[in-house]
Amino acid sequence: MNALTYLLQVNIYLFIFYLFYLILLRNETFFKMNRFYLVGSGMLALFIPLLRADWIKELFVTEQVQHLAQIVNTSVLQTDNITFTVIKAEEQPLFSPTEWFWLIYGIVTLIFLFNFLRRLYLLNKVLKKENKGQAFSFFNTISIDGELEGLETIMKHELVHAKQWHSADVIFFELFTAMNWFNPVVYGYKNAIKNIHEFIADETAASTLENKSAYALLLVSNVFNTQPQQLTNSFYNQSLLKRRIIMLHKTKSRKTAILKYGLSAPLFAGMVIFSSATGAEGKIITRITEKVAPFIANYPNADLKPIGDLKRRTETTTAPKVKKKKGIFHLL
């Protein structure tokens, strides 16, 4: 598999996984399972193209390989003692379209990675100073203004982020975005995982208060005029406020809703089958190359036509017409 095919398959799988999440899982209150699904589906999208089940490939390859191998064997035998005309290659452009794609892709990816490292550097400086009116965490480092209302509840909220390593998810999806910056779905993943982090922490922290309304009031009372760091899990996040309050008061999903997560198993299996089937093309080319390579080695400077042309040619005629002139055979 070439790199472009791999990148294309990764983003196709990402789209399918995220669509499944939006339709079936987004509004469920199984927040930890949703977190597992988002992170797991992102990793699976990276690894599924590399999973090539041999028994699946054989289902798609055998008949095609045998047919093409037979054509190649016949063609090689029929083209013995043929003279070839060497044609001077036309001047090639500086970069092919594929090379231009990789050049642009590489430059933009480096920009994303540089911006990510820059934000890490700035965050490190922020964590070392006192941040008045803010509460956020990054891995095991928690920064909370001691004068904030509901300090104990806020601390419990941020401890959930720290203990469950929510920052690792954030870092993973930042790097994931740098790799797949051209796909709008990855930005949906980034927002979704941050929402899930807050829902998980809110659920735990709200359980320490008399009622959920008191916790919602705490959110509203201090959420404005804050500027949370993009790489941190922030207690006060204005953009998520409305949905956090909605999910906080949402009726718990029924246990039968867990069956929805089971539907992701056949989805995964289908992707593995698709990936293995597309890998069959490479196997066909390898087998044909083994047949043709010794023949081509005898004519390193010859202008040979692709296998596709050879296949069509052999299918339209049972045997090529040969014209003999002074002991040299010319293929008509």
Side-chain angles (χ1 to χ4, degrees), residues 107-193:
I107 292 174
V108 178
T109 299
L110 288 176
I111 292 174
F112 270 82
L113 290 175
F114 176 78
N115 186 50
F116 168 69
L117 294 176
R118 181 185 64 84
R119 284 185 289 156
L120 276 180
Y121 172 75
L122 295 176
L123 175 59
N124 184 57
K125 294 178 64 175
V126 169
L127 292 173
K128 292 180 179 179
K129 67 179 184 180
E130 182 179 353
N131 297 283
K132 188 173 181 60
Q134 295 192 36
F136 56 86
S137 61
F138 186 70
F139 286 100
N140 292 326
T141 302
I142 298 176
S143 177
I144 301 177
D145 183 358
E147 298 181 0
L148 289 175
E149 179 185 353
L151 182 62
E152 183 178 352
T153 302
I154 296 173
M155 177 60 73
K156 290 180 180 180
H157 176 100
E158 296 302 329
L159 279 173
V160 174
H161 290 312
K163 290 180 178 179
Q164 296 188 15
W165 283 61
H166 289 174
S167 295
D169 298 349
V170 175
I171 296 298
F172 171 74
F173 281 107
E174 285 292 333
L175 296 176
F176 205 71
T177 302
M179 175 183 172
N180 303 282
W181 50 265
F182 54 87
N183 188 349
V185 167
V186 298
Y187 303 98
Y189 263 96
K190 281 180 59 175
N191 292 331
I193 197 65

Coordinates of all heavy atoms in Angstrom, one line a residue, residues 107-193:
I107 N 4.2 20.7 4.1 CA 4.4 22.0 4.6 C 3.3 22.4 5.6 O 3.6 22.9 6.7 CB 4.4 23.0 3.4 CG1 5.6 22.8 2.5 CG2 4.3 24.5 3.9 CD1 5.7 23.7 1.3
V108 N 2.0 22.1 5.2 CA 0.9 22.4 6.1 C 1.0 21.6 7.4 O 0.7 22.1 8.5 CB -0.4 22.2 5.4 CG1 -1.6 22.5 6.4 CG2 -0.6 23.1 4.2
T109 N 1.4 20.4 7.3 CA 1.5 19.5 8.5 C 2.6 20.0 9.4 O 2.4 20.1 10.6 CB 1.8 18.1 8.1 OG1 0.8 17.5 7.3 CG2 2.0 17.2 9.3
L110 N 3.7 20.5 8.9 CA 4.8 21.1 9.7 C 4.3 22.4 10.4 O 4.7 22.6 11.5 CB 6.0 21.4 8.8 CG 6.8 20.1 8.3 CD1 7.9 20.6 7.4 CD2 7.3 19.4 9.5
I111 N 3.5 23.1 9.7 CA 2.9 24.3 10.3 C 2.0 24.0 11.5 O 2.1 24.6 12.6 CB 2.1 25.2 9.2 CG1 3.0 25.7 8.2 CG2 1.3 26.3 9.9 CD1 2.3 26.4 7.0
F112 N 1.2 23.0 11.3 CA 0.3 22.5 12.4 C 1.2 22.0 13.6 O 0.9 22.3 14.8 CB -0.6 21.4 12.0 CG -1.9 22.0 11.4 CD1 -2.0 22.4 10.1 CD2 -3.1 22.0 12.2 CE1 -3.2 22.9 9.6 CE2 -4.3 22.5 11.8 CZ -4.4 22.9 10.4
L113 N 2.2 21.3 13.3 CA 3.1 20.7 14.4 C 3.8 21.9 15.1 O 4.0 21.8 16.3 CB 4.1 19.7 13.8 CG 3.5 18.4 13.3 CD1 4.5 17.5 12.6 CD2 2.8 17.6 14.5
F114 N 4.3 22.8 14.3 CA 5.0 24.0 14.9 C 4.1 24.7 15.8 O 4.4 25.2 16.9 CB 5.5 24.9 13.8 CG 6.2 26.1 14.3 CD1 7.5 26.1 14.8 CD2 5.5 27.3 14.3 CE1 8.1 27.2 15.3 CE2 6.1 28.5 14.8 CZ 7.4 28.4 15.3
N115 N 2.8 25.0 15.4 CA 1.9 25.7 16.2 C 1.5 24.9 17.5 O 1.3 25.5 18.5 CB 0.6 25.9 15.4 CG -0.4 26.8 16.1 OD1 -0.1 27.9 16.6 ND2 -1.7 26.3 16.2
F116 N 1.5 23.6 17.3 CA 1.2 22.8 18.5 C 2.3 22.9 19.5 O 2.1 23.1 20.7 CB 1.1 21.3 18.1 CG 1.1 20.3 19.2 CD1 0.0 20.3 20.1 CD2 2.1 19.5 19.4 CE1 0.0 19.4 21.2 CE2 2.1 18.6 20.4 CZ 1.1 18.5 21.3
L117 N 3.6 22.9 19.1 CA 4.7 23.0 20.0 C 4.8 24.4 20.6 O 5.1 24.6 21.7 CB 6.0 22.7 19.2 CG 6.2 21.3 18.7 CD1 7.5 21.2 17.9 CD2 6.3 20.3 19.9
R118 N 4.4 25.4 19.8 CA 4.3 26.8 20.3 C 3.3 26.9 21.4 O 3.6 27.5 22.5 CB 4.0 27.7 19.2 CG 3.9 29.2 19.6 CD 3.4 30.1 18.4 NE 2.1 29.8 18.0 CZ 1.0 30.3 18.7 NH1 1.1 31.1 19.7 NH2 -0.2 29.9 18.3
R119 N 2.2 26.3 21.3 CA 1.1 26.4 22.3 C 1.6 25.6 23.6 O 1.3 26.0 24.7 CB -0.2 25.8 21.8 CG -0.9 26.8 20.9 CD -2.3 26.3 20.5 NE -2.1 25.2 19.5 CZ -3.1 24.3 19.4 NH1 -4.2 24.3 20.1 NH2 -2.9 23.3 18.5
L120 N 2.3 24.5 23.4 CA 2.9 23.8 24.5 C 3.8 24.7 25.3 O 3.8 24.7 26.5 CB 3.6 22.5 24.1 CG 2.7 21.3 23.8 CD1 3.6 20.1 23.4 CD2 1.9 20.9 25.1
Y121 N 4.7 25.4 24.6 CA 5.6 26.3 25.2 C 4.9 27.4 26.0 O 5.3 27.7 27.1 CB 6.5 26.9 24.1 CG 7.5 28.0 24.6 CD1 8.6 27.7 25.4 CD2 7.2 29.3 24.4 CE1 9.4 28.7 25.9 CE2 8.0 30.3 24.8 CZ 9.1 30.0 25.6 OH 9.9 31.0 26.1
L122 N 3.9 28.0 25.4 CA 3.2 29.1 26.0 C 2.4 28.5 27.2 O 2.3 29.2 28.3 CB 2.2 29.7 25.1 CG 2.8 30.5 23.9 CD1 1.7 31.0 22.9 CD2 3.7 31.6 24.4
L123 N 1.9 27.3 27.1 CA 1.1 26.7 28.2 C 2.1 26.5 29.4 O 1.7 26.7 30.6 CB 0.5 25.4 27.8 CG -0.2 24.6 28.9 CD1 -1.3 25.4 29.5 CD2 -0.7 23.3 28.3
N124 N 3.3 26.0 29.1 CA 4.3 25.8 30.2 C 4.5 27.1 31.0 O 4.7 27.1 32.2 CB 5.6 25.3 29.6 CG 6.6 24.9 30.6 OD1 6.3 24.1 31.5 ND2 7.8 25.5 30.5
K125 N 4.6 28.2 30.3 CA 4.8 29.5 30.9 C 3.6 29.9 31.8 O 3.7 30.4 32.9 CB 5.1 30.6 29.9 CG 6.4 30.4 29.1 CD 6.6 31.4 28.1 CE 6.7 32.8 28.7 NZ 7.0 33.8 27.6
V126 N 2.4 29.6 31.3 CA 1.1 29.9 32.0 C 1.0 29.1 33.3 O 0.6 29.6 34.3 CB -0.1 29.6 31.1 CG1 -1.4 29.7 31.9 CG2 -0.1 30.6 29.9
L127 N 1.4 27.8 33.2 CA 1.3 27.0 34.4 C 2.3 27.4 35.5 O 2.0 27.0 36.7 CB 1.6 25.5 34.0 CG 0.6 24.8 33.1 CD1 1.1 23.5 32.6 CD2 -0.7 24.7 33.8
K128 N 3.3 28.1 35.2 CA 4.3 28.5 36.2 C 3.9 29.8 36.9 O 4.6 30.2 37.9 CB 5.7 28.7 35.5 CG 6.3 27.4 35.1 CD 7.6 27.6 34.4 CE 8.2 26.3 33.9 NZ 9.6 26.5 33.3
K129 N 2.8 30.5 36.4 CA 2.4 31.7 37.1 C 1.0 31.6 37.7 O 0.3 30.7 37.4 CB 2.5 32.9 36.1 CG 1.5 32.8 35.0 CD 1.6 34.0 34.0 CE 0.5 33.9 32.9 NZ 0.6 35.1 32.0
E130 N 0.7 32.6 38.5 CA -0.7 32.6 39.1 C -1.7 33.1 38.0 O -1.5 34.1 37.4 CB -0.7 33.5 40.3 CG -2.0 33.5 41.0 CD -2.0 34.4 42.2 OE1 -0.9 34.9 42.6 OE2 -3.1 34.6 42.8
N131 N -2.8 32.4 37.9 CA -3.8 32.7 36.9 C -5.1 33.1 37.6 O -5.9 32.3 38.0 CB -4.1 31.5 36.0 CG -2.8 31.1 35.2 OD1 -2.5 31.7 34.2 ND2 -2.2 30.1 35.6
K132 N -5.2 34.4 37.7 CA -6.4 34.9 38.5 C -7.7 34.7 37.8 O -7.8 35.0 36.6 CB -6.1 36.4 38.8 CG -7.2 37.0 39.7 CD -6.8 38.5 40.0 CE -7.8 39.1 41.0 NZ -7.9 38.3 42.3
G133 N -8.7 34.2 38.5 CA -10.0 34.0 37.9 C -10.1 32.8 37.0 O -11.2 32.7 36.3
Q134 N -9.1 31.9 37.0 CA -9.2 30.8 36.1 C -9.0 29.5 36.9 O -8.4 29.4 38.0 CB -8.1 30.9 35.0 CG -8.4 32.0 34.0 CD -7.5 32.0 32.8 OE1 -7.2 30.9 32.3 NE2 -7.1 33.1 32.3
A135 N -9.5 28.4 36.2 CA -9.3 27.1 36.8 C -9.2 26.1 35.7 O -10.1 25.9 34.8 CB -10.5 26.7 37.7
F136 N -8.0 25.4 35.6 CA -7.8 24.5 34.5 C -6.7 23.5 34.9 O -6.0 23.7 36.0 CB -7.4 25.2 33.2 CG -6.2 26.0 33.3 CD1 -4.9 25.5 33.2 CD2 -6.3 27.4 33.6 CE1 -3.8 26.3 33.3 CE2 -5.2 28.2 33.7 CZ -3.9 27.7 33.5
S137 N -6.6 22.4 34.2 CA -5.6 21.4 34.5 C -4.9 20.9 33.2 O -5.5 21.0 32.1 CB -6.3 20.2 35.2 OG -7.2 19.6 34.4
F138 N -3.7 20.4 33.4 CA -3.0 19.8 32.3 C -2.2 18.6 32.9 O -1.2 18.8 33.6 CB -2.0 20.8 31.6 CG -1.4 20.3 30.4 CD1 -2.1 20.1 29.2 CD2 0.0 20.0 30.4 CE1 -1.4 19.6 28.1 CE2 0.6 19.6 29.3 CZ -0.1 19.3 28.1
F139 N -2.6 17.4 32.5 CA -2.1 16.2 33.1 C -2.2 16.3 34.7 O -3.3 16.5 35.1 CB -0.6 15.9 32.7 CG -0.6 15.4 31.3 CD1 -0.2 16.3 30.2 CD2 -0.8 14.1 31.0 CE1 -0.2 15.8 28.9 CE2 -0.8 13.6 29.7 CZ -0.5 14.5 28.6
N140 N -1.1 16.2 35.4 CA -1.2 16.2 36.9 C -1.1 17.6 37.5 O -1.0 17.8 38.7 CB -0.1 15.3 37.5 CG -0.4 13.9 37.2 OD1 -1.6 13.4 37.1 ND2 0.6 13.1 37.0
T141 N -1.0 18.6 36.6 CA -0.8 20.0 37.1 C -2.2 20.7 37.1 O -2.8 20.8 36.0 CB 0.2 20.8 36.2 OG1 1.4 20.2 36.2 CG2 0.3 22.2 36.7
I142 N -2.6 21.2 38.2 CA -3.9 21.9 38.4 C -3.7 23.3 38.8 O -3.0 23.6 39.8 CB -4.8 21.1 39.4 CG1 -5.1 19.7 38.9 CG2 -6.1 21.9 39.6 CD1 -5.9 18.9 39.9
S143 N -4.3 24.2 38.1 CA -4.1 25.7 38.4 C -5.5 26.2 38.7 O -6.4 26.3 37.8 CB -3.5 26.4 37.2 OG -3.4 27.8 37.5
I144 N -5.7 26.7 39.9 CA -7.0 27.2 40.3 C -6.8 28.5 41.2 O -5.9 28.5 42.1 CB -7.8 26.2 41.2 CG1 -8.0 24.9 40.4 CG2 -9.1 26.8 41.6 CD1 -8.8 23.8 41.2
D145 N -7.5 29.5 40.9 CA -7.5 30.7 41.7 C -8.1 30.4 43.0 O -9.3 30.0 43.1 CB -8.2 31.8 40.9 CG -8.1 33.2 41.7 OD1 -7.6 33.2 42.8 OD2 -8.7 34.2 41.1
G146 N -7.4 30.6 44.1 CA -7.9 30.3 45.4 C -9.1 31.1 45.9 O -9.8 30.8 46.8
E147 N -9.4 32.2 45.1 CA -10.5 33.1 45.5 C -11.8 32.8 44.8 O -12.8 33.5 45.0 CB -10.1 34.6 45.3 CG -8.9 35.1 46.1 CD -8.5 36.5 45.8 OE1 -9.2 37.1 44.9 OE2 -7.6 37.0 46.4
L148 N -11.8 31.8 44.0 CA -13.0 31.4 43.2 C -14.0 30.8 44.1 O -13.7 30.1 45.1 CB -12.6 30.4 42.1 CG -11.8 30.9 40.9 CD1 -11.5 29.7 40.0 CD2 -12.6 32.0 40.1
E149 N -15.3 31.1 43.8 CA -16.4 30.6 44.5 C -16.5 29.1 44.2 O -16.3 28.6 43.1 CB -17.7 31.3 44.1 CG -19.0 30.7 44.8 CD -20.2 31.4 44.2 OE1 -20.1 32.3 43.4 OE2 -21.3 30.9 44.6
G150 N -16.8 28.3 45.2 CA -17.0 26.8 45.1 C -15.6 26.1 44.8 O -15.5 25.2 44.0
L151 N -14.6 26.6 45.5 CA -13.2 26.1 45.3 C -13.1 24.6 45.4 O -12.5 23.9 44.6 CB -12.3 26.8 46.3 CG -10.8 26.4 46.1 CD1 -10.3 26.8 44.7 CD2 -10.0 27.1 47.2
E152 N -13.8 24.0 46.4 CA -13.7 22.6 46.7 C -14.3 21.8 45.5 O -13.8 20.8 45.1 CB -14.4 22.2 48.0 CG -14.3 20.8 48.4 CD -15.0 20.5 49.7 OE1 -15.4 21.4 50.4 OE2 -15.2 19.3 50.0
T153 N -15.5 22.2 45.0 CA -16.1 21.6 43.9 C -15.3 21.6 42.7 O -15.2 20.7 41.9 CB -17.5 22.2 43.7 OG1 -18.3 22.1 44.9 CG2 -18.2 21.5 42.5
I154 N -14.7 22.8 42.4 CA -13.9 23.0 41.2 C -12.7 22.1 41.3 O -12.3 21.5 40.3 CB -13.4 24.5 41.1 CG1 -14.7 25.4 40.9 CG2 -12.4 24.6 40.0 CD1 -14.3 26.9 40.9
M155 N -12.1 22.0 42.5 CA -10.9 21.1 42.6 C -11.3 19.6 42.3 O -10.5 18.9 41.6 CB -10.4 21.2 44.1 CG -9.2 20.2 44.4 SD -7.8 20.5 43.3 CE -7.2 22.0 44.0
K156 N -12.5 19.2 42.8 CA -12.9 17.8 42.5 C -13.1 17.6 41.0 O -12.8 16.6 40.4 CB -14.2 17.5 43.2 CG -14.0 17.4 44.7 CD -15.3 17.1 45.4 CE -15.1 16.9 46.9 NZ -16.4 16.7 47.7
H157 N -13.6 18.7 40.3 CA -13.8 18.6 38.9 C -12.5 18.4 38.2 O -12.3 17.6 37.3 CB -14.5 19.9 38.4 CG -14.6 20.0 36.9 ND1 -15.8 19.8 36.3 CD2 -13.8 20.4 36.0 CE1 -15.7 20.0 35.0 NE2 -14.4 20.4 34.8
E158 N -11.5 19.3 38.5 CA -10.2 19.2 37.9 C -9.4 17.9 38.2 O -8.6 17.4 37.4 CB -9.3 20.4 38.2 CG -9.9 21.7 37.8 CD -10.2 21.8 36.3 OE1 -9.4 21.1 35.5 OE2 -11.1 22.5 35.8
L159 N -9.6 17.4 39.4 CA -9.0 16.1 39.8 C -9.4 15.0 38.9 O -8.7 14.1 38.6 CB -9.3 15.8 41.3 CG -8.4 16.5 42.3 CD1 -8.9 16.2 43.7 CD2 -7.0 16.1 42.2
V160 N -10.7 15.0 38.5 CA -11.2 14.0 37.5 C -10.4 14.0 36.2 O -10.0 13.0 35.7 CB -12.7 14.2 37.2 CG1 -13.2 13.2 36.2 CG2 -13.5 14.0 38.5
H161 N -10.2 15.3 35.7 CA -9.4 15.4 34.5 C -8.0 14.9 34.7 O -7.5 14.2 33.8 CB -9.3 16.9 34.1 CG -10.5 17.5 33.6 ND1 -11.3 16.9 32.7 CD2 -11.2 18.7 33.9 CE1 -12.4 17.7 32.4 NE2 -12.3 18.8 33.2
A162 N -7.4 15.2 35.8 CA -6.0 14.8 36.1 C -5.9 13.3 36.2 O -5.0 12.6 35.6 CB -5.5 15.5 37.3
K163 N -6.8 12.7 37.1 CA -6.7 11.3 37.3 C -7.0 10.4 36.1 O -6.4 9.3 36.0 CB -7.6 10.9 38.5 CG -7.1 11.5 39.9 CD -8.1 11.1 41.0 CE -7.6 11.6 42.3 NZ -8.6 11.3 43.4
Q164 N -7.9 10.8 35.3 CA -8.3 10.0 34.1 C -7.5 10.4 32.9 O -7.8 9.9 31.8 CB -9.8 10.2 33.8 CG -10.6 9.7 35.0 CD -12.1 9.7 34.6 OE1 -12.5 9.8 33.5 NE2 -13.0 9.5 35.6
W165 N -6.4 11.2 33.0 CA -5.5 11.5 31.9 C -6.3 12.1 30.7 O -6.0 11.7 29.5 CB -4.7 10.3 31.5 CG -3.6 10.0 32.5 CD1 -3.7 9.7 33.8 CD2 -2.2 10.0 32.2 NE1 -2.5 9.5 34.4 CE2 -1.5 9.7 33.5 CE3 -1.4 10.2 31.1 CZ2 -0.2 9.6 33.6 CZ3 0.0 10.1 31.2 CH2 0.6 9.8 32.4
H166 N -7.2 13.0 30.9 CA -7.9 13.6 29.8 C -6.9 14.4 28.9 O -7.2 14.5 27.7 CB -9.0 14.5 30.3 CG -10.1 13.7 30.9 ND1 -11.2 14.3 31.6 CD2 -10.4 12.4 31.0 CE1 -12.0 13.4 32.0 NE2 -11.6 12.2 31.7
S167 N -5.9 14.9 29.4 CA -4.9 15.7 28.6 C -4.3 14.8 27.6 O -3.9 15.3 26.5 CB -3.9 16.3 29.5 OG -4.5 17.3 30.4
A168 N -4.1 13.5 27.8 CA -3.5 12.6 26.9 C -4.4 12.5 25.6 O -3.9 12.5 24.5 CB -3.3 11.2 27.5
D169 N -5.7 12.5 25.8 CA -6.7 12.5 24.7 C -6.5 13.8 23.9 O -6.5 13.8 22.6 CB -8.1 12.4 25.2 CG -8.4 11.1 25.9 OD1 -7.5 10.2 25.9 OD2 -9.5 11.1 26.5
V170 N -6.4 14.9 24.6 CA -6.2 16.2 23.9 C -5.0 16.2 23.0 O -5.0 16.7 21.9 CB -6.2 17.4 24.9 CG1 -5.9 18.7 24.2 CG2 -7.5 17.5 25.7
I171 N -3.9 15.8 23.6 CA -2.6 15.7 22.8 C -2.7 14.8 21.6 O -2.3 15.1 20.5 CB -1.5 15.3 23.7 CG1 -1.2 16.2 24.9 CG2 -0.2 15.1 22.9 CD1 -0.8 17.6 24.4
F172 N -3.4 13.7 21.8 CA -3.5 12.7 20.7 C -4.3 13.3 19.6 O -3.9 13.2 18.4 CB -4.3 11.5 21.2 CG -4.7 10.5 20.1 CD1 -3.8 9.7 19.5 CD2 -6.0 10.4 19.7 CE1 -4.1 8.8 18.5 CE2 -6.4 9.6 18.7 CZ -5.5 8.8 18.1
F173 N -5.4 14.0 19.9 CA -6.2 14.6 18.8 C -5.6 15.9 18.2 O -5.9 16.2 17.0 CB -7.6 14.9 19.3 CG -8.5 13.6 19.3 CD1 -8.8 13.0 20.5 CD2 -8.9 13.1 18.1 CE1 -9.6 11.9 20.5 CE2 -9.7 11.9 18.1 CZ -10.0 11.3 19.3
E174 N -4.7 16.5 18.9 CA -3.9 17.6 18.4 C -3.0 17.1 17.3 O -2.9 17.7 16.2 CB -3.1 18.4 19.4 CG -4.0 19.3 20.3 CD -4.6 20.5 19.6 OE1 -3.9 20.9 18.6 OE2 -5.6 21.0 20.0
L175 N -2.3 16.0 17.6 CA -1.4 15.4 16.6 C -2.2 14.8 15.5 O -1.7 14.8 14.3 CB -0.5 14.3 17.3 CG 0.4 14.9 18.4 CD1 1.2 13.7 19.1 CD2 1.5 15.8 17.8
F176 N -3.3 14.2 15.8 CA -4.2 13.6 14.8 C -4.6 14.7 13.8 O -4.7 14.4 12.6 CB -5.4 13.0 15.5 CG -6.0 11.9 14.7 CD1 -5.4 10.7 14.6 CD2 -7.3 12.1 14.2 CE1 -6.0 9.7 13.9 CE2 -7.9 11.1 13.5 CZ -7.3 9.8 13.3
T177 N -5.0 15.9 14.3 CA -5.4 17.0 13.4 C -4.2 17.4 12.5 O -4.5 17.8 11.4 CB -5.9 18.1 14.3 OG1 -7.0 17.7 15.1 CG2 -6.4 19.3 13.4
A178 N -3.0 17.5 13.1 CA -1.9 17.8 12.3 C -1.7 16.9 11.1 O -1.2 17.3 10.0 CB -0.6 17.9 13.2
M179 N -2.0 15.6 11.3 CA -1.8 14.6 10.3 C -2.9 14.7 9.2 O -2.7 14.5 8.0 CB -1.7 13.2 10.9 CG -1.7 12.1 9.9 SD -1.7 10.5 10.7 CE -1.8 9.4 9.2
N180 N -4.1 15.0 9.7 CA -5.3 15.0 8.8 C -6.0 16.3 8.8 O -7.2 16.4 8.8 CB -6.3 13.9 9.3 CG -5.7 12.5 9.4 OD1 -5.6 11.8 8.4 ND2 -5.4 12.1 10.6
W181 N -5.2 17.4 8.7 CA -5.7 18.8 8.8 C -6.8 19.1 7.7 O -7.6 20.0 7.8 CB -4.6 19.8 8.7 CG -3.6 19.5 7.5 CD1 -2.5 18.8 7.6 CD2 -3.8 19.9 6.2 NE1 -1.9 18.8 6.3 CE2 -2.7 19.5 5.4 CE3 -4.8 20.7 5.5 CZ2 -2.5 19.7 4.1 CZ3 -4.6 20.9 4.1 CH2 -3.5 20.5 3.5
F182 N -6.7 18.4 6.6 CA -7.6 18.7 5.4 C -9.0 18.1 5.6 O -9.9 18.4 4.8 CB -7.0 18.1 4.1 CG -6.6 16.7 4.2 CD1 -7.6 15.7 3.9 CD2 -5.4 16.3 4.6 CE1 -7.2 14.4 4.0 CE2 -5.0 14.9 4.7 CZ -6.0 14.0 4.4
N183 N -9.2 17.3 6.6 CA -10.5 16.6 6.8 C -11.3 17.3 7.9 O -10.9 17.3 9.1 CB -10.2 15.1 7.2 CG -11.5 14.3 7.3 OD1 -12.6 14.8 7.2 ND2 -11.3 13.0 7.4
P184 N -12.4 17.9 7.6 CA -13.2 18.6 8.6 C -13.6 17.7 9.8 O -13.9 18.2 10.9 CB -14.5 19.0 7.9 CG -14.1 19.0 6.4 CD -13.1 17.9 6.3
V185 N -13.7 16.4 9.6 CA -14.2 15.5 10.7 C -13.2 15.5 11.9 O -13.7 15.4 13.0 CB -14.3 14.0 10.1 CG1 -14.4 13.0 11.2 CG2 -15.5 13.9 9.1
V186 N -11.9 15.7 11.6 CA -11.0 15.7 12.8 C -11.3 16.8 13.8 O -11.0 16.7 15.0 CB -9.5 15.7 12.3 CG1 -9.2 14.5 11.4 CG2 -9.2 17.0 11.6
Y187 N -11.8 17.9 13.3 CA -12.1 19.0 14.2 C -13.4 18.7 15.0 O -13.5 19.2 16.1 CB -12.3 20.3 13.3 CG -11.1 20.7 12.5 CD1 -11.0 20.3 11.2 CD2 -9.9 21.3 13.1 CE1 -9.9 20.6 10.4 CE2 -8.8 21.5 12.3 CZ -8.8 21.2 11.0 OH -7.7 21.5 10.3
G188 N -14.2 17.9 14.4 CA -15.4 17.4 15.1 C -15.0 16.5 16.2 O -15.5 16.5 17.3
Y189 N -14.0 15.7 15.9 CA -13.4 14.8 17.0 C -12.8 15.6 18.1 O -13.1 15.3 19.3 CB -12.3 13.9 16.3 CG -12.8 12.5 15.9 CD1 -13.1 12.3 14.6 CD2 -12.8 11.5 16.8 CE1 -13.6 11.0 14.2 CE2 -13.2 10.2 16.4 CZ -13.6 10.0 15.1 OH -14.0 8.7 14.8
K190 N -12.1 16.6 17.8 CA -11.4 17.4 18.8 C -12.5 18.1 19.8 O -12.3 18.0 21.0 CB -10.6 18.5 18.2 CG -9.2 18.1 17.7 CD -8.5 19.3 17.1 CE -8.3 20.4 18.0 NZ -7.4 21.5 17.5
N191 N -13.5 18.6 19.2 CA -14.6 19.3 20.0 C -15.4 18.2 20.8 O -15.7 18.4 22.0 CB -15.5 20.0 19.1 CG -14.9 21.3 18.5 OD1 -14.0 21.8 19.1 ND2 -15.3 21.7 17.3
A192 N -15.6 17.1 20.2 CA -16.4 16.0 20.8 C -15.7 15.5 22.1 O -16.3 15.3 23.1 CB -16.7 14.9 19.9
I193 N -14.4 15.2 21.9 CA -13.6 14.7 23.1 C -13.5 15.7 24.2 O -13.6 15.3 25.4 CB -12.2 14.2 22.6 CG1 -11.6 13.2 23.7 CG2 -11.3 15.4 22.4 CD1 -12.4 12.0 23.8

